[in-house]
Amino acid sequence: MRALMSFGLTRVGACAALAATLAAAVPQAATARDGTGAALLGGAAAGVLGGLAAGAIINGAPPAPPPPVYVSPPPRRVYVEEPTETVIVRRRGPVCHFERRKVWLDDESFTYRRVEVCE
C-alpha cells in the first residue's frame, strides 16, 4: 500500500502526459459531425478522468498506523542476602588420584592398568 502512495504524483504526471499525447494525436480534419473524432476524444477524456479518479481514491486512503511500541515491564525487586562466613575445611591426609600406567606382561606384550597415586 505504501508503494502505491509513493508513486501518486508520478501517476498523475503520466496521466497528464498521456492526455497531452492523445490530444496532439487526434486528427485535426475530423470534427464532431463525422463522429469519429468525437468518439476518440470522448474515450480519451473518459480514460484520463477515470485514471485521475482512481489515482485519487488510491492515494487518498489513510496511511497504515505505526507499529505498536513495546513497553518493557518494570524491573523486578531483587533481595540480596548478606554473605555468610566462608568455612575452609582442610583435608587430612594425602590427596590421591588414579592414573593409567603401562604394565609389561612379558618382553613383547603390555597392558594398561589403573594405579592409585597419592601425593
Side-chain angles (χ1 to χ4, degrees), residues 7-84:
F7 292 111
L9 189 57
T10 306
R11 284 191 183 138
V12 171
C15 288
L18 179 65
T21 304
L22 289 176
V26 173
Q28 299 297 327
T31 60
R33 288 182 296 190
D34 298 338
T36 57
L40 182 63
L41 188 59
V48 169
L49 290 176
L52 287 175
I57 290 172
I58 290 173
N59 290 327
V69 178
Y70 176 73
V71 178
S72 62
R76 294 183 178 179
R77 291 185 176 219
V78 178
Y79 296 100
V80 179
E81 296 179 1
E82 293 298 323
T84 59

Side-chain angles (χ1 to χ4, degrees), residues 55-109:
I57 290 172
I58 290 173
N59 290 327
V69 178
Y70 176 73
V71 178
S72 62
R76 294 183 178 179
R77 291 185 176 219
V78 178
Y79 296 100
V80 179
E81 296 179 1
E82 293 298 323
T84 59
E85 285 186 27
T86 304
V87 178
I88 299 174
V89 178
R90 297 190 186 257
R91 293 184 180 180
R92 295 187 181 130
V95 176
C96 299
H97 64 278
F98 288 93
E99 291 181 357
R100 291 184 59 185
R101 294 209 176 157
K102 185 187 291 188
V103 177
W104 289 94
L105 300 175
D106 55 7
D107 289 341
E108 296 179 0
S109 61

